[in-house]
Amino acid sequence: MTTPPFTPPPVARHGVGTRLRRVAMAVALVFLAIAVARARERMLAEQKRLGERAQDNAATAARSLDAVALQAHILLESVTSLVDPSAAPERNDDVLQSVFRRVPTRFSNLYLVDTLGSNIGAGLLPAGGRGAINLWKRQYFQSALRSGAFTVGMPVKSMTIAGAPWVLPFILPMKDARSGRTIALAGASVVLDSLDAVRATRRLPTGSVLTVLDSTGDVVIRTLDADQWIGRQFPNYPARSGRVEPLGSDTIVPSDIDRIDRLFGTERMRVANWQVYVGIPVTEVFGPSRRQFTQDLLLGLIIAVGIVGIGYWLTERFVAPIASLTLDARAISDGDMTRRSLIATSDEVGTLAGAFNQMADAIVERNAQLADSQEQLRQVQKLEALGAFAGGIAHDFNNYLSSIMGHGELALEQLEANDPARLEVASVLTSAQRAADLTKQILIFSRRQVVTPAHLDVNATLRTMQRLLVRLLGESITLRSELAASLGSVYMDQGQLEQVLVNLAVNARDAMHHGGRLTIRTSRRVLPNGPFVCIEVEDSGSGIAAELQPRIFEPFFTTKDRAHGTGLGLSIAYSIVGNAGGTIAVDPACTTGARFIILLPEGEPVVAPALTGALDVPQGNAERILLVDDDPGVSLVAERLLRRGGYLVESASDASRALQQLEQASFDLLITDVVMPGMTGPQLAREAVSRHGAMRVLFISGYPDDDLLAYEIATSQAEFLPKPFSRDSLLRKVREMLDVRDG
């Protein structure tokens, strides 16, 4: 069935076709002009590039020849330290042959001659024997003898290599250590055809040539007609500078010797002061760019004609439909997202209209996705705000717990052993400790816990997390623990280990929508790089598709919907485990649910500290302590605990008062809260050190709301005692810091 032609709405059509044809003609002319300009620009740019390449070829050849000369110089200096001109030639033969076998293959011979040019040692001898070689008449020999310096000679025909190829000689005089006169000369040679510069030139287009001229204009190296030109004067060399034609980047196009125009690059050698020319025939260099110029012109002309033809064709078939489509596009751009094109023809315009409608649908979908992304961002911001709020609550709550626990311990000390009130006070302390554990778990979720690495008992950590994990998983999921009987310790922060396990438990819970089982196992594994503590977290949920497993630890990658995941849990776990020197991976062999395997380096088993009584707590020796805390309850109980412990204590409720007291007296230790109004604890400590020099500082807080301090605590550069603290932990920490100072 033939699709009926599109009938456009009644729009003004008079003159549209004529205007479109005129526009097509104008566009064709403009395009043709641009094509001509562009083709010429491309040709000139290509010719300039080729000119620069020719110069690069010459520079590369010159540096390559300099490198060979430098290698020869170094080699001959080594040879002069090994041979003995006064020894028998056969002995020098042995030495030179031994060296020759070890030198790069580019060198074709090593030899030693006396000051009369007679051979007294060689790596290779000619078929006629030693007497067949005498360098007395060689120009480079005489030059080296006169100058007493390393010399690069004019190439000569080899007398030791079959076929007598051209070789480039190098010679270095040996001088007597006392008199300084030349007693012998060590030489080496390289076959010209083996030089990298010669090989590179032979790989250039046919007709390319490498020419090297010495300072007098004699040809030293020429890759074309070498037998005819090496050692001869280059034609018209003195007048050359007046005849060359500059082109590109220091390149020239001369016609010399064989009357072939070549694009030349030139560079001067540093070692021998020779001029290097590398030339490529102009027909080979510029031919492609000129042919490309012609092709570009033809293509531009064809396209221009095509533009005119298309303009006439569009006038008859597409003007009205496109005008209608334009109106639809304007309506959508004005905000009418319900507008769609009504064009239903089977030709290209119909296809374009269908694509236009798909684009409009895609815009609507993208807008919906953008709204979802913005909602997800708001959720992340809410979580961040909630974390900050939780940290603040934990800080205040830890202050209250510090006061409760401190006063409880003080009350317990004053009660007789058989006093019935001891049981009630002990119960208060137990409840306070449980509340402290709950606060610590809040900090885990807010990711504001203090990072203090220590040797941890993994099994003990898992047992303390039992209640938290059960509440996280809910009633429909069973938690099962299979803990190994004996494990070594792992060195990491306990809060970070708990955060890793919490993140894995939350992921497992979200994968078991209708309930299931979460199993946590511990074991010891011995791998080639040492023993490890292994923690396996396995769930009976929906599992992870094999194609997704390589990406699960990427930040923000998640398989959950936008309302239930940010894609940060596993990436955070991966970072924490990696920082502890371990690895975390999903087990691909697990086909029911998912199994994560954590390997952490094993240390010595954690030994439980021995129980100590009140008398075992280290006492002070009347050291002076300045205590700074804005919470009166914490300040009062800490001051009383420290005074009972044998210390002289002064208190300050803020940093400004503390600085005034530091001006009036000296203190052995500064104990300061971290989070305080105005100047914080870390700021106070830095100001005190800058004013009064180095001093011991102990930070106390529910969490250190200071990035620099958190880093210093993690790297053991700052001392920290978390709230709530007990009498024993406070006095032991203070005594430890003061003893370190005294030692």
Side-chain angles (χ1 to χ4, degrees), residues 472-490:
L472 272 177
L473 296 173
E475 298 179 354
S476 62
I477 298 176
T478 303
L479 176 64
R480 180 180 178 184
S481 298
E482 300 176 3
L483 308 182
S486 60
L487 286 177
S489 64
V490 297

Side-chain angles (χ1 to χ4, degrees), residues 46-47 50-51 54 205-209 245 247 251-256 258-265 278-291:
E46 179 65 12
Q47 291 181 356
L50 292 171
T206 303
S208 299
V209 63
E245 177 186 354
L247 180 67
T251 58
I252 55 178
V253 183
S255 298
D256 292 316
D258 52 9
R259 300 304 176 184
I260 296 177
D261 288 342
R262 292 185 177 88
L263 179 65
F264 270 89
V278 176
I280 305 175
V282 171
T283 55
E284 296 290 338
V285 177
F286 292 158
S289 63
R290 292 168 180 170
R291 288 192 295 271

